[in-house]
Amino acid sequence: MAEHLLEVKDLSTHFFTHAGVVKAVNGVSFTLDHKETLGIVGESGSGKTVAALSLMRLVPDPPGKVVEGSLMLGTRDLRTLSDEEMRQVRGNDIAMIFQDPMTSLNPVVKVGKQIAEAITLHQDKSKGEAWKMAADLLERVGIPDAEKRVNQYPFEFSGGMRQRVMIAMAISCNPDVLIADEPTTALDVTIQAQIIDVMQEMQERYESGVILITHDLGVVAEIADKVMVMYGGRTVEYGGIDEIFYNSHHPYTWGLLGSLPRLDEVEKTRLTPIKGQPPDLIALAAGCPFAARCNYVRAECRDNWPALEIVGPEHGVDCWIPHDERLELRAGLPRFREHVA
């Protein structure tokens, strides 16, 4: 038996363009178990969505290609499966809630048919049985009058309702791994909370492992078990939720948390933005991609990529700053003082 539900090792996905090779994902590794939620955070362009599409084997080729790494779903390496074998896996064993439900749903096909399609493909169900299951799924994700709504088109649903339809499609075959790519983006906070509740309920029901891609650190803090911080196509820090939020070690993680407003502060403090711009993934330097924006950069940061340093149980960081010095630097940041052990 496999040690983990999902194990990704040294994943690298590049896009070969006329301007050069875009190293969108460059050596990313992580694991996921049943009933576990992994939050992937980072700025736009850090490689979060491309990593997820690589797992689904949905990177457009050309120009994209997974050039290195293993994608172990149980005992199967997804990279070695044929296209037909992958079609049986996709939607059945591993499913994805895409970022924009309006563009992900077919506007001229009834939502019931779109949900039923995956059911008839992966399960031994008739068209009528699949249609009834589609209505049951809509009801399960909180859409009222599901028997009627199953015959409607995506444009007849609100943004939050369309997102629920996407969740219903993703869970229609009880997948082992559910990837949610910014499932609460552009939704108001009330609908965001409802979507999160639906996802957690589905995860508990089917014991799925969930990969949550988001910019919202508040959502990550609420539902994730562990967090992977990505920057420039690389993993810069990886650890449990408490380690990342209360004992983080990488300057980029400090920058993300420092730009987040907090309700528990007694004294008012200014949010600190991260200076500069994300790196050009065509012309990545040999060293740390965050070096140009880091307040604590040193010579070795620009010349070589740092080796992974284990700083705690399942907590690793890629940074040239020595461990003790990182603790001192972090202790000197006003917004983190109370969290440093």
Side-chain angles (χ1 to χ4, degrees), residues 43-287:
E43 292 171 278
S44 295
S46 60
K48 307 184 299 297
T49 297
V50 174
L53 293 176
S54 300
L55 288 176
M56 298 288 291
R57 292 260 303 262
L58 290 176
V59 174
D61 180 12
K65 188 175 182 62
V66 177
V67 297
E68 189 177 353
S70 63
L71 310 173
M72 299 301 299
L73 180 62
T75 58
R76 294 172 294 178
D77 189 346
L78 300 180
R79 285 194 67 194
T80 65
L81 300 183
S82 66
D83 290 343
E84 178 58 34
E85 289 172 329
M86 192 62 206
R87 275 193 290 270
Q88 295 302 317
V89 169
R90 192 186 300 121
N92 189 34
D93 300 310
I94 179 169
M96 186 168 179
I97 304 170
F98 292 95
Q99 187 169 346
D100 186 353
M102 193 61 218
T103 57
S104 300
L105 293 170
N106 191 323
V108 297
V109 177
K110 294 177 180 179
V111 297
K113 184 175 182 179
Q114 296 188 59
I115 299 172
E117 182 179 12
I119 298 172
T120 54
L121 178 63
H122 296 294
Q123 301 182 44
D124 186 19
K125 302 292 183 182
S126 66
K127 182 178 179 181
E129 290 174 324
W131 197 270
K132 185 179 185 305
M133 289 178 65
D136 291 340
L137 284 163
L138 288 184
E139 185 175 354
R140 194 176 299 170
V141 297
I143 294 182
D145 200 9
E147 291 286 347
K148 176 183 176 182
R149 303 304 293 270
V150 78
N151 288 295
Q152 294 181 330
Y153 294 90
F155 69 85
E156 298 179 87
F157 290 72
S158 67
M161 290 293 187
R162 287 194 292 267
Q163 194 63 279
R164 291 170 192 263
V165 171
M166 291 295 299
I167 295 175
M169 292 176 63
I171 66 173
S172 60
C173 297
N174 307 338
D176 292 324
V177 176
L178 178 63
I179 303 171
D181 188 2
E182 301 191 30
T184 59
T185 298
L187 302 178
D188 64 67
V189 291
T190 303
I191 302 301
Q192 285 184 20
Q194 293 173 0
I195 294 296
I196 291 170
D197 288 342
V198 169
M199 289 179 55
Q200 289 182 303
E201 180 185 344
M202 296 303 104
Q203 181 183 26
E204 186 68 25
R205 181 190 296 263
Y206 302 120
E207 298 187 354
S208 304
V210 173
I211 298 175
L212 174 66
I213 300 171
T214 182
H215 293 283
D216 193 333
L217 294 176
V219 172
V220 170
E222 182 178 352
I223 69 174
D225 299 298
K226 55 189 181 185
V227 183
M228 180 170 71
V229 183
M230 290 188 67
Y231 186 81
R234 305 290 295 260
T235 301
V236 295
E237 190 163 5
Y238 181 89
I241 191 71
D242 289 337
E243 283 76 15
I244 297 299
F245 275 82
Y246 302 131
N247 192 32
S248 53
H249 276 252
H250 199 280
Y252 180 61
T253 311
W254 300 344
L256 291 178
L257 295 172
S259 61
L260 182 72
R262 280 174 35 191
L263 300 177
D264 61 344
E265 289 179 328
V266 178
E267 298 181 4
K268 292 183 178 180
T269 56
R270 295 182 63 87
L271 299 180
T272 306
I274 302 174
K275 65 181 183 181
Q277 298 293 326
D280 182 355
L281 297 179
I282 293 179
L284 281 172

Side-chain angles (χ1 to χ4, degrees), residues 6-9 28-32 38 40 55 211 228 238:
L6 176 69
E7 186 172 8
V8 176
K9 287 186 178 180
V28 168
S29 301
F30 61 87
T31 62
L32 184 72
L38 168 67
I40 303 181
L55 288 176
I211 298 175
M228 180 170 71
Y238 181 89

